[in-house]
Each structure stands twice: as C-alpha cells, then as structure tokens.
C-alpha cells in the first residue's frame, strides 16, 4: 500500500534541503506559510491541515538544541559511559533472538549485525527509551527557529507525507531533534529509505523491530556501506611512529601501514583495503584503523565521539577484545577548548562553532599547528599546545 501510494503521487518526491519558508516571527503566521508551501509541493491538503492543527512551539526542544555537552566527553569517558557488560550481553542476546532479521540485513543490505545492534543500543536502549518529545511540535519548533531551518523544514514536509500515509500519528513522540523510532530516523529518511520489514504494508519504526532495523540497514547501504568489509580495527603502533601520518585526512593501503610497523590487536589486518589511523585521544590512548565503512557511519550521526564509540562497540559485539585504554594527556577544560578554537580560527582554520567540542575541523587544525610547532602531531590538543598558541 505504501509503495502504491508513493508511486501514484509524483508530488511526494522528496523536497530539497533549501529553506522554503522564512524562519522566525509570529509562529501562527509561520504555520500558515508552511501550509502554503505544502500546497505548492502538492501535499494532500487534508493531511496538511490535520498535521498543523493544534501545533505549538516547544521551548524544551530549543533548550535541548542549545545544550549538547555530552559530546564534549573524551572517547574513553564517553565509551565507558555507554558500554557495559550488561549492554554487551543484551546486544548478543538480541542478535540471537532476532537472528532472522539480522540475517536479512546482512544478505539484502550487506550490513553487519554488530553495527545495527550498536546503534540500536545507543539510540534507544534496544527500543525501550525512544524519547518523549512530541515529534510534530519538535520539527516545527526547529523549523521556525533560525539556527538550522534548512535542516528541519524538509523534515516537516516529509512528516506531512508520512502522516498522509498513516505512518505518522499526531501523538508520535521521539527525540528532541525529531528522530523517530527504535533506531531514531528523521522523517525524510523514513520516507526515502524506510523498509516494511514485517510485511504489514506500513513502515513503523516505533513498534516493529523488523521495520526499524532493516530501514537502518537500507539507509547505511544507500549511503555507501561496502558489504563484507570491516569498519574499525584496534591496532598497535611502533615506537618512533610518525604521528603526522595519523588522522582521517591520511589514507593508505593496509599493506603500507603494516610496512611501517602497524599491527592488529584482534587478529590479522584485512588485506586489499585502505584505511586511516584514528587516535581518539592522541598517541597515548587507544589506536584504530578506520576503514571506508567507518566514514559512512557519520551519515547516522555527525558526532566524532559518538560514531567512534558505536563503531568500537560493534566490534565488541562481534567478538573483539576491549581496547587498550593507555594513559592519554588530560582533556582541556571547556573554556580552554573554546579559547583554543578561537586561536585556531584567528589563524585561518575552519573549526566550526566555538563550542568546546573537539570535532573533525578542530582536530585537523590542531594537527597542523602541532606540525608547525614541532610537537607530536597526533591531533589531540594539550595545555602545551594552547600555551604555545
């Protein structure tokens, strides 16, 4: 039924990511503008009217949007807070319980079960905690807010389309940013990549493990996941290694890394692939080879520490040993990180927001400055680096 509906209504093609309606101003006038744009996109008027009736702004959504300090935690702290023996045992039990679904994900989409189990665990604790924000109000609130309307307005129109398909009740709840269901997908992704895994004619990610897990698998495949290939492998590096070769900006064949003395800690490294050396907390912490599939995971979540932790947990689910934590240099304080980002920006680097979060842009800039200053260029900011800048 869902496929037939979509095929019969060409206007339900996915909208662009441009801002269709001006943000800010009176919320009632904004809803009227959303309704006019929905009509221009050919959405069913009764579905649009139903979707917008009674919609309100949610100040708790804006508060959550402004406070994402959890992603400031360093990898070791973040991963240890999310990964426990109980969660690992539960993931392996779910793998057995839903083996048929995970086999379909592997055969039809090429996605390893460890990856799906890791995201399922972190996103909603295997479907138990899916979020209690009203999704319609969250999406409209963030679309009206002028911080990122270009991201959320297309989600509103996708949600209206799902509402027309009877796949989006108005009391749908989820995360503050509009993600829905057991694996927390946005409406546009559900519309484009959702899979009716249980054959009931609907895609219901809140109640159907088959729909949720296979939709997640389909999304990863469509973003370029390569079947049968690894994503992350813990490694040991030799004494005297050139730290400037580390980081996601440098990719080399595994054979070249091995020639430089890199060895795997969970068996032989896969031949024939290229990879980057990933040091989440610098040269004194854990070290990994990150393969092309690791990069695909950023389509699920943009946070470096979240993606790296999920990728690592997936290897643990599939049998890898715990990482060697090492003894990394202390993380800079929030104020110190913001000062560092300001200094890097003054030197011409694009580090994104001055938010105190060590993202990809900040890591890259740190490594370049470490090289310039003659410091070990492992991309991990230290008090010494901040002092020298």
């Amino acid at each position: 039924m869902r496929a037939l509906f979509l095929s019969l209504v060409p206007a339900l093609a996915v909208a662009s990511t441009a801002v269709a309606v001006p943000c800010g101003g009176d919320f009632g006038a904004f809803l009227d503008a959303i309704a006019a744009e929905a009509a221009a996109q050919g959405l069913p008027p009764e579905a649009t009217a139903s979707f917008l009736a009674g919609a309100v702004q949610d100040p708790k959504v804006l508060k959550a949007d402004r406070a994402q300090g959890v992603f400031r935690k360093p990898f070791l702290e973040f991963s240890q807070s999310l990964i426990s023996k109980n969660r690992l045992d539960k993931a392996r039990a779910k793998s057995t319980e839903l083996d048929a679904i995970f086999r379909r994900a592997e055969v039809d989409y090429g996605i390893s079960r460890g990856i799906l189990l890791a995201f399922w665990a972190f996103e909603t604790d295997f479907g138990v905690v899916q979020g209690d924000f009203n999704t319609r109000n969250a999406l409209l609130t963030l679309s009206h807010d002028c911080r990122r309307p270009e991201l959320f307005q297309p989600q509103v129109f996708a949600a209206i389309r799902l509402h027309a398909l009877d796949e989006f009740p108005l009391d749908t709840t989820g995360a503050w940013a509009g993600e829905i269901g057991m694996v927390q997908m946005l409406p546009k992704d559900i519309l484009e990549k959702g899979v009716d895994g249980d054959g009931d004619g609907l895609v219901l990610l809140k109640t159907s493990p088959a729909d949720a897990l296979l939709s997640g698998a389909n999304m990863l495949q469509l973003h370029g996941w390569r079947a049968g290939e690894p994503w992350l492998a813990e490694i040991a590096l030799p004494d005297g290694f050139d730290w400037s070769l580390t980081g996601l900006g440098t990719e080399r064949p595994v054979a070249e890394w091995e020639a430089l003395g890199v060895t795997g800690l969970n068996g032989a490294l896969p031949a024939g692939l290229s990879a980057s050396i990933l040091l989440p907390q610098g040269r004194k912490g854990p070290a990994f080879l990150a393969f092309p599939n690791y990069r695909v995971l950023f389509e699920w979540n943009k946070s470096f520490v979240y993606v790296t932790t999920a990728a690592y947990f997936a290897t643990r689910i599939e049998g890898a040993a715990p990482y060697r934590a090492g003894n990394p240099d202390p993380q800079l304080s929030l104020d110190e990180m913001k000062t560092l980002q300001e200094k890097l920006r003054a030197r011409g680097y694009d580090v994104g927001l001055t938010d105190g979060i060590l993202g990809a842009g900040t890591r890259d800039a740190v490594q370049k400055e470490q090289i310039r200053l003659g410091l070990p260029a492992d991309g991990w900011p230290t008090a010494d680096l901040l002092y020298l800048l």
Side-chain angles (χ1 to χ4, degrees), residues 7-80:
S7 67
L8 292 176
V9 187
L12 292 189
V14 175
S16 71
T17 57
V19 175
V21 176
C23 61
D26 178 75
F27 190 66
F30 173 78
L31 295 182
D32 290 340
I34 288 288
E37 176 60 25
Q41 292 188 20
L43 299 179
E46 63 278 7
T48 300
S50 171
F51 185 87
L52 296 177
V56 296
Q57 287 177 286
D58 187 344
K60 298 191 301 297
V61 167
L62 295 178
K63 183 178 180 180
D65 183 49
R66 304 307 194 255
Q68 300 185 57
V70 65
F71 296 125
R72 236 193 60 76
K73 291 182 178 180
F75 170 71
L76 292 179
E77 182 182 348
F78 189 85
S79 61
Q80 289 164 14

Side-chain angles (χ1 to χ4, degrees), residues 94-167:
K94 287 290 184 183
S95 177
T96 300
E97 175 190 345
L98 302 176
D99 179 67
I101 296 174
F102 289 113
R103 284 184 181 275
R104 284 182 61 188
E106 291 163 347
V107 172
D108 295 348
Y109 303 102
I111 310 301
S112 296
R113 64 183 61 204
I115 287 293
L116 294 175
L117 284 160
F119 279 106
W120 192 19
F122 291 175
E123 295 288 346
T124 64
D125 201 16
F126 305 102
V128 174
V129 184
Q130 297 188 26
D132 57 5
F133 288 87
N134 180 276
T135 303
R136 174 192 61 172
N137 291 337
L139 291 173
L140 288 167
T141 296
L142 292 166
S143 295
H144 175 264
D145 183 51
C146 288
R147 195 165 89 86
R148 292 180 294 170
E150 73 286 349
L151 172 62
F152 291 103
Q153 285 192 18
Q155 304 300 336
V156 167
F157 300 115
I160 295 173
R161 294 183 176 100
L162 291 173
H163 185 54
L165 289 164
D166 294 326
E167 294 177 1

